[in-house]
Amino acid sequence: MQDAITVLINSSDVQGKYLDSTSLERLENYFHSGDMRAKAATAVSANAKNIVTQTVAKSLLYTDITAPGGNMYTCRRYAACVRDLDYFLRYATYAMLAGDTSILDERILNGLRETYNSLGVPIGGTIRAVQAMKEVVTSMVGSEAGREMGVYFDHIAAGLS
């Protein structure tokens, strides 16, 4: 996992140059938003179970996926869905704090689509759940922090597409 600082410094180091004005501006923005990101992470951590519960309810509202014959029928499949949503929330929070998506690629997305396809997990339903989580988190942390967190939920959704 990298953070925004490390990414910028490594990029300049590889090129053998000092940080340019664009890189310095990106660092300034990262530092300026630090308090907001920390508060959002605190809220998410304190309410993670509630966020996942609301996400499941919201994403399943118009489906029959939990009915007999549905992909989440049986407690085991339902529990696996809840577990994965909790992972998505936790790693999106890490990525938001770091200001970098690399942890999402490394820990979640690398091979996930293929795994889900082989297990028969509906990708479309998973993407809808990630988008529902983005909405739940935004309503909890506010629009500014929600937009920041949304970047990482969108990255997960795009990685599954």
Side-chain angles (χ1 to χ4, degrees):
M1 177 173 90
Q2 295 187 28
D3 58 41
I5 301 164
T6 306
V7 168
L8 290 171
I9 291 172
N10 284 344
S11 176
S12 292
D13 184 43
V14 166
Q15 297 173 32
K17 65 179 191 174
Y18 290 94
L19 294 172
D20 60 20
S21 60
T22 302
S23 296
L24 291 169
E25 185 177 321
R26 289 175 67 190
L27 282 175
E28 186 177 327
N29 291 336
Y30 177 74
F31 290 132
H32 178 70
S33 66
D35 188 49
M36 177 269 303
R37 285 182 284 108
K39 286 179 181 176
T42 300
V44 168
S45 295
N47 296 289
K49 183 176 181 176
N50 187 37
I51 292 168
V52 172
T53 300
Q54 287 182 39
T55 297
V56 170
K58 187 176 186 91
S59 63
L60 298 179
L61 190 59
Y62 300 109
T63 69
D64 60 353
I65 198 166
T66 58
N71 199 287
M72 283 178 49
Y73 182 68
T74 74
C75 292
R76 194 176 108 246
R77 286 183 177 180
Y78 184 85
C81 174
V82 169
R83 178 206 60 213
D84 287 358
L85 289 174
D86 188 59
Y87 288 160
F88 296 164
L89 178 61
R90 183 163 46 99
Y91 282 106
T93 304
Y94 293 163
M96 184 262 312
L97 284 169
D100 184 72
T101 60
S102 65
I103 193 168
L104 298 174
D105 297 327
E106 294 167 10
R107 306 277 173 91
I108 291 179
L109 295 173
N110 189 13
L112 183 63
R113 181 176 174 73
E114 294 78 13
T115 300
Y116 275 7
N117 281 332
S118 72
L119 296 172
V121 176
I123 300 294
T126 304
I127 292 170
R128 279 192 302 279
V130 170
Q131 293 303 322
M133 183 175 284
K134 177 176 141 180
E135 294 170 14
V136 170
V137 168
T138 298
S139 71
M140 181 172 292
V141 301
S143 61
E144 183 183 10
R147 275 190 303 278
E148 182 68 27
M149 284 288 295
V151 168
Y152 305 99
F153 290 126
D154 290 344
H155 186 82
I156 293 169
L160 287 169
S161 296

